[in-house]
Amino acid sequence: MEGLMCKTLFIDLDDTIWDFRANSVQALRQVYGEFSLEREFADYEQFRSLYMKANHELWEEYHHNRVTKDFLIVERFARPFRQAGSALGGDMSFIMSLNDRYLDVLARQKLLVPGAVDLLDYLTDKGYPLYILSNGFAEVQSRKLQAGGIARYFKRLVLSDEIGITKPDRRLFDYALQVVGGTAADTVIVGDNYDADILGAMNAGWRAIYFNRDNLPVDGPRPHYMVTALEQLKAIL
């Protein structure tokens, strides 16, 4: 890697290589039909948009340990129902059934971020040891890798669930190094979340490549490299 020493390469999973955005839309549409949610929402788009907003906000809170995993799982579905004026927002049995089915359907989805397989082939041919570092839930992350057909590329999946600490907390990055036997100075991460992946890694002494898919402004320390498409990583790695 030009300009960066790299002996260990971590890649974030959701929306870095596995297309969470697209796969989540498909899973939400399926559960919307299966649970007859047209009786509770004006249409699918209302349900989808309310869920996506709640999910995004809650994950940002979860990254910083301001809410628990259990609260996130319930609230991201309960909140849209409450906002739509549905009494089901207070029915925890229903909400958990909906969540469980959604996670099951989600974990079966296969869509990858454009260029993911080509990049993973390239990195494998270059001899990089590849690892996943994710805040995602243990019950679905390995299934996503299998569904997407990319599990074979990775030596280890390291999850925040293993120690109950999430990115950007430095302790998760330190734990990941212990697990794989790496050192901070020659470890690199590729991730799509500036706060969780990039700032977290840099604070832990890692090098960071920001996959800024939406070309968002960076209001903070500059990552070592920034790309807007996965294919651009070939010029760096």
Side-chain angles (χ1 to χ4, degrees), residues 107-154:
R108 300 171 188 267
Q109 302 305 310
K110 306 176 184 297
L111 296 175
L112 302 176
V113 173
V117 170
D118 186 51
L119 173 66
L120 293 173
D121 282 335
Y122 169 82
L123 295 174
T124 300
D125 289 344
K126 294 278 285 188
Y128 286 106
L130 302 179
Y131 304 93
I132 292 287
L133 182 60
S134 173
N135 280 352
F137 304 147
E139 55 266 34
V140 294
Q141 294 305 78
S142 61
R143 293 178 60 198
K144 291 175 182 176
L145 287 172
Q146 294 291 340
I150 55 175
R152 67 185 185 276
Y153 292 103
F154 296 96

Side-chain angles (χ1 to χ4, degrees), residues 200-213:
M202 293 171 68
N203 287 336
W206 296 20
R207 306 301 183 266
I209 303 175
Y210 181 23
F211 175 39
N212 190 357
R213 194 174 177 185

Side-chain angles (χ1 to χ4, degrees), residues 18 23-24 26-27 30 105-111 144 147-148:
W18 190 84
N23 290 321
S24 183
Q26 292 194 7
Q30 184 167 330
V105 174
L106 180 67
R108 300 171 188 267
Q109 302 305 310
K110 306 176 184 297
L111 296 175
K144 291 175 182 176

